[in-house]
Amino acid sequence: MAKFVVAGKANCPYYAKAELLADYLQTNLPNFRVHKITQHPDKWEQWLHDVCETNGWEHRQSPIIWRELLDRGGKGQLLGGLNDFLEYAQKYYGITSMMLSEEMLAIAEENLQAHLEIVKEDEEIKSLIKPMQIWITSASVPICYHLIPLLANGEVFGMTTEISIHLLDTEQFKEKLRSIVMEAEDMAFPLLRSISEHTKTDQAFIDADIIIVLDDVLLNLEVQSLENYIREVSEICQVYAPLIEKNAKSEVKVISSGKTFANLKATMLRIYGPSIRPENIIAISTSWESAAKAMLARKLNINTAGVKDVIVWGNITGSNYIDLSHAKLNGYDCAIRGPPNFRRPLLSMIYDSEWIHSELVSAQSTLSSRVSRGTGMLSAHAIATVLRYWYHGSPSEEIISVGILSEGQFCIPEGIIFSMPVRLQNGNWEAMTELEINETTQKVLGRLAHELVQEKLVALKEINEMHPYEAE
């Protein structure tokens, strides 16, 4: 059995002539086999160099033809180029090629088109099976530990979407990251293609589809001023944003979460990464939303899942406002009955108005403590929930609170990340501007917006004093 390999540039007329002769020999000789390889003209030189270096050959033109030694093994025997192949066929088989130059050029052009179509088809197939690339920063924090199973079990992206998770943190947490990787691998999630740890920042976010930013600063205002903490957050974003622009995919989705400065991180990533789509940068406020719903459910003695449409306005991990004016109850045991999806306005079910105006307002600090001191389970669930809604759509009749870029909705100043009610559909979000808000709420929003604007200005001022940077 003689097996020959014929390789060449896809648009090479000499390759076309060698290919046609090889096809003829294979068709007419019972023990002759040929394997054909084409390369794009731009990639041919490097490919040829690599093949020759691997096998110890000297060859500088297209095509290159060699015989594989099937019966003996080994690297194969170099035959040479077109003329060598023609001479071999004439000597051993008494066959030669009479192809004219015009035919060679025409077939070469057809070969190039066929090669391009095959490459395109291969890329499309690979895109269907290529796992979704998810990067998580500050991955040693507890939120990440709880988040990985939620991402890998198929409930967020669907049971047919594989994912690869990349954990990024500093060198001092390398062993902890390695432990998380090993444990995740031991769990054998069917949709987790791979999980890896990274400690080199300059290699971060390569091919990222999703980036989850969990970086936090430990606030202790007795040690240093708030301005210093803001500067620290801004410096982190100034490192991340250019890397996201350089390494991540153009449609990358960026999620800011954590215990501190969630809005500010999202705002600064947008400023320092101007090519990142602004609508693809959000901050997660669902933790606050869930904690508030749980407090209300305990007051009303119902399941937390029955509390709907609680709105979180403003600075997610700072000054925010829990708005119950649109909140509803599903499955509440009262005198009026309805179908399973029947909902009652929450405020009409709480007759203790004093509790609403005093207890819930004063409970802000309690909620803050609950969210920030938790084990990370609540925050991880919040991230997974919003990601699922982002990719598959939020419930059509429910209000979801998300920190998004303000474009003047609800009279909020433009250019800051502000938590507000949204609906998510087809990979996009839309602010629910049709909701009516009363004058009292509007005043509160103005105050919250002012605080976020000042926070942004402080961040820009502090960072520009150290590293002048042109920002809007």
Side-chain angles (χ1 to χ4, degrees):
M1 173 72 70
K3 181 178 179 181
F4 286 81
V5 178
V6 180
K9 288 190 293 185
N11 63 344
C12 175
Y14 302 108
Y15 168 79
K17 188 168 185 175
E19 175 193 30
L20 191 65
L21 176 58
D23 286 342
Y24 180 85
L25 293 173
Q26 180 171 251
T27 302
N28 292 277
L29 299 175
N31 294 320
F32 188 97
R33 294 292 180 269
V34 62
H35 175 65
K36 294 176 286 186
I37 301 174
T38 58
Q39 291 292 324
H40 191 278
D42 295 340
K43 298 181 179 180
W44 166 253
E45 294 295 338
Q46 184 61 49
W47 184 88
L48 179 63
H49 174 269
D50 293 342
V51 168
C52 291
E53 186 175 51
T54 300
N55 293 281
W57 296 336
E58 287 289 337
H59 192 80
R60 294 290 181 270
Q61 60 192 12
S62 173
I64 179 174
I65 303 167
W66 70 88
R67 180 177 177 179
E68 292 191 350
L69 305 177
L70 299 179
D71 53 344
R72 288 177 287 168
K75 65 182 180 180
Q77 181 179 5
L78 178 65
L79 187 62
L82 173 62
N83 291 334
D84 300 297
F85 189 42
L86 291 173
E87 182 180 342
Y88 181 91
Q90 177 67 42
K91 179 178 180 180
Y92 285 93
Y93 306 116
I95 297 172
T96 189
S97 173
M98 303 301 293
M99 181 184 290
L100 301 177
S101 299
E102 293 79 3
E103 294 178 286
M104 293 167 58
L105 292 171
I107 294 177
E109 180 62 28
E110 291 178 4
N111 282 343
L112 178 59
Q113 293 303 317
H115 175 80
L116 295 176
E117 290 176 5
I118 291 172
V119 169
K120 182 179 179 180
E121 183 179 340
D122 288 343
E123 289 176 351
E124 290 176 352
I125 293 174
K126 288 179 181 178
S127 69
L128 295 176
I129 63 174
K130 188 175 183 179
M132 182 178 291
Q133 305 293 323
I134 303 173
W135 284 77
I136 305 175
T137 71
S138 194
S140 62
V141 300
I143 298 175
C144 179
Y145 186 81
H146 294 288
L147 180 60
I148 291 172
L150 298 178
L151 297 175
N153 66 12
E155 293 183 9
V156 174
F157 305 108
M159 299 305 297
T160 59
T161 302
E162 290 189 329
I163 64 172
S164 290
I165 297 177
H166 305 267
L167 308 179
L168 177 66
D169 215 319
T170 57
E171 184 70 28
Q172 70 181 101
F173 295 108
K174 185 173 184 177
E175 288 303 318
K176 186 170 184 178
L177 295 183
R178 188 165 295 168
S179 298
I180 295 174
V181 167
M182 293 177 63
E183 189 167 356
E185 290 174 339
D186 290 343
M187 295 178 75
F189 293 106
L191 297 175
L192 182 59
R193 175 76 68 85
S194 64
I195 181 169
S196 56
E197 76 272 6
H198 303 266
T199 57
K200 297 185 183 300
T201 306
D202 59 342
Q203 299 176 6
F205 314 130
I206 293 177
D207 291 332
D209 294 289
I210 297 170
I211 299 171
I212 302 171
V213 180
L214 300 179
D215 295 71
D216 272 319
V217 294
L218 300 177
L219 287 176
N220 187 346
L221 298 180
E222 295 180 359
V223 175
Q224 60 178 329
S225 67
L226 181 63
E227 288 75 12
N228 285 336
Y229 289 116
I230 291 176
R231 181 177 64 205
E232 187 176 338
V233 171
S234 188
E235 287 177 335
I236 292 172
C237 296
Q238 196 175 23
V239 172
Y240 284 166
L243 288 170
I244 295 174
E245 290 183 303
K246 176 184 176 183
N247 296 336
K249 293 179 181 175
S250 60
E251 294 297 313
V252 63
K253 288 177 166 59
V254 183
I255 291 177
S256 173
S257 186
K259 300 177 181 179
T260 58
F261 298 108
N263 294 57
L264 180 63
K265 285 184 291 187
T267 298
M268 301 313 292
L269 286 171
R270 186 190 70 83
I271 290 174
Y272 293 134
S275 68
I276 306 171
R277 289 184 61 190
E279 58 269 32
N280 280 5
I281 304 177
I282 66 171
I284 299 295
S285 54
T286 320
S287 300
W288 278 88
E289 188 179 306
S290 299
K293 288 178 179 179
M295 181 173 288
L296 291 163
R298 284 190 291 270
K299 176 67 175 177
L300 294 164
N301 194 29
I302 67 171
N303 189 312
T304 303
V307 183
K308 307 290 184 182
D309 300 345
V310 173
I311 301 174
V312 178
W313 297 95
N315 191 353
I316 296 164
T317 51
S319 298
N320 57 53
Y321 173 58
I322 307 297
D323 183 2
L324 305 181
S325 61
H326 298 276
K328 298 177 181 64
L329 299 177
N330 188 10
Y332 183 60
D333 187 12
C334 62
I336 300 176
R337 298 285 182 173
N341 61 348
F342 177 71
R343 295 178 180 178
R344 296 283 294 165
L346 182 143
L347 291 179
S348 66
M349 295 293 101
I350 298 181
Y351 296 101
D352 187 358
S353 59
E354 183 63 27
W355 183 86
I356 295 175
H357 295 295
S358 61
E359 191 78 13
L360 186 59
V361 173
S362 64
Q364 292 285 99
S365 59
T366 304
L367 291 175
S368 177
S369 176
R370 183 184 300 276
V371 173
S372 62
R373 295 184 182 180
T375 62
M377 188 185 305
L378 177 60
S379 297
H381 180 265
I383 295 170
T385 298
V386 172
L387 268 176
R388 184 173 74 251
Y389 290 163
W390 208 350
Y391 276 84
H392 301 292
S394 57
S396 59
E397 298 181 357
E398 288 189 25
I399 298 173
I400 307 298
S401 300
V402 175
I404 62 173
L405 177 65
S406 171
E407 297 175 341
Q409 308 98 324
F410 304 105
C411 299
I412 298 167
E414 298 182 12
I416 57 173
I417 300 294
F418 197 93
S419 180
M420 64 181 76
V422 304
R423 63 172 61 89
L424 297 104
Q425 200 69 37
N426 300 322
N428 300 304
W429 52 258
E430 178 187 9
M432 302 179 70
T433 52
E434 72 275 13
L435 294 179
E436 295 183 2
I437 58 175
N438 56 40
E439 185 177 347
T440 301
T441 299
Q442 191 66 67
K443 289 181 179 179
V444 173
L445 299 189
R447 175 176 57 80
L448 298 177
H450 177 74
E451 291 183 6
L452 282 169
V453 170
Q454 293 304 309
E455 193 174 81
K456 173 185 173 182
L457 292 175
V458 170
L460 292 174
K461 177 178 180 295
E462 292 289 336
I463 201 69
N464 286 339
E465 287 179 353
M466 297 184 63
H467 309 286
Y469 187 94
E470 185 176 348
E472 60 185 60

